[in-house]
Amino acid sequence: MNTASFRKRLVMGNWKMNGGLEANAKLMADLHAGAGILADHCTLAVCAPFPYLAQVQSQLQNSVISWGAQDISAHKAGAYTGEVSAAMLVDFGCSWALVGHSERRAMHGETDDVVAAKARAALDAGITPVVCVGETLAEQEAGQTLAVIQRQLGPVLALGKEAVSKIVVAYEPVWAIGTGRTATPAQAQEVHAAIRASLTSLDAHHVRVLYGGSVKADNAASLFAMPDIDGALVGGASLVADEFLRIAAA
Ligand code: PGA
């Protein structure tokens, strides 16, 4: 059996801080119309800004597309102004939460330990955390890619086998996010293989490892052809229904 065959491909949109009621409604109507035929071979999901999760829930609840948040609090409840808890995300039907996106690591000072605590909070509520990791351009040029990824993953892997068996990992080189520069399939595969080896050492063979960073319809197929790339986390291209669906179909 092909070892990748039991990891169903996952294509997840990250809308970031984009959209609005009207634009979201149109985007989701178009996604809904085109997603049905893709559902057999691909899990489709979108991660929306918090205020729109109710809209997303009402519009996608009878579709094959699942949804999630772009962040989650590590805390359960209380005096954490501006934070959104896992239980709140459950109230709005979220299946997924991104944790440790590079924009949050860079702009909000999220450490590897904070990211792991957020992953734990998601898991405790039955939400699948999508743990984002990736090196900066300077780190890549210094040949530190694999060391950085291992460091970022460390506290998450320390959550233990049971927890790790329920996560998704997204490798997103920071230099490829929103820049139009994608890692070559071979470059990405090398990092994915290293992540896979770490996961396999915890018996988590089935955990999906997504690639992210300027994924488009015209580069998705070559990335997905790599044995350890199980799907994509898509930013800019997820705001255009046709482009996103073509990535899922790739
Ligand atoms: P991009 O973003 O596809 O626009 O590069 C990916 C991400 O940040 O998740």
Side-chain angles (χ1 to χ4, degrees):
M1 189 172 86
N2 174 343
T3 51
S5 64
F6 57 95
R7 296 192 302 265
K8 189 176 183 185
R9 183 174 302 157
L10 171 59
V11 174
M12 182 174 283
N14 172 12
W15 293 355
K16 308 196 180 184
M17 198 173 72
N18 293 295
L21 288 174
E22 205 183 325
N24 300 345
K26 164 98 175 74
L27 174 58
M28 288 189 283
D30 292 347
L31 290 177
H32 188 22
I37 51 162
L38 301 169
D40 280 349
H41 78 276
C42 179
T43 302
L44 278 155
V46 295
C47 293
F50 293 132
Y52 299 117
L53 289 172
Q55 180 195 19
V56 171
Q57 180 181 34
S58 86
Q59 210 173 327
L60 294 183
Q61 62 190 347
N62 295 317
S63 80
V64 297
I65 306 166
S66 53
W67 60 92
Q70 298 169 14
D71 186 29
I72 188 168
S73 178
H75 306 286
K76 279 201 157 57
Y80 301 102
T81 302
E83 298 259 298
V84 175
S85 73
M88 294 171 187
L89 299 183
V90 169
D91 274 345
F92 291 94
C94 289
S95 304
W96 316 92
L98 304 183
V99 297
H101 189 280
S102 63
E103 286 152 17
R104 296 211 57 87
R105 290 178 188 264
M107 294 183 242
H108 301 272
E110 289 190 11
T111 64
D112 302 330
D113 288 329
V114 166
V115 172
K118 290 184 170 196
R120 177 78 267 168
L123 288 166
D124 288 345
I127 291 173
T128 302
V130 179
V131 179
C132 304
V133 295
E135 82 287 8
T136 62
L137 183 60
E139 288 164 340
Q140 192 225 24
E141 285 173 351
Q144 295 167 345
T145 299
L146 296 182
V148 169
I149 305 301
Q150 295 305 343
R151 191 208 73 219
Q152 291 174 329
L153 274 181
V156 174
L157 299 181
L159 296 175
K161 272 189 192 183
E162 220 237 301
V164 172
S165 73
K166 296 184 189 142
I167 69 171
V168 168
V169 177
Y171 168 56
E172 300 199 300
V174 177
W175 47 269
I177 294 178
T179 58
R181 256 184 86 182
T182 328
T184 63
Q187 261 176 330
Q189 167 57 26
E190 188 192 340
V191 180
H192 280 239
I195 295 171
R196 177 83 55 220
S198 301
L199 293 168
T200 302
S201 69
L202 292 173
D203 297 334
H205 316 267
H206 61 282
V207 166
R208 289 180 283 195
V209 184
L210 312 182
Y211 174 78
S214 298
V215 176
K216 305 268 182 307
D218 62 9
N219 60 25
S222 59
L223 289 161
F224 295 162
M226 296 292 115
D228 291 305
I229 298 182
D230 306 316
L233 182 56
V234 185
S238 73
L239 300 171
V240 183
D242 177 59
E243 183 79 14
F244 187 63
L245 291 170
R246 280 168 54 217
I247 291 169

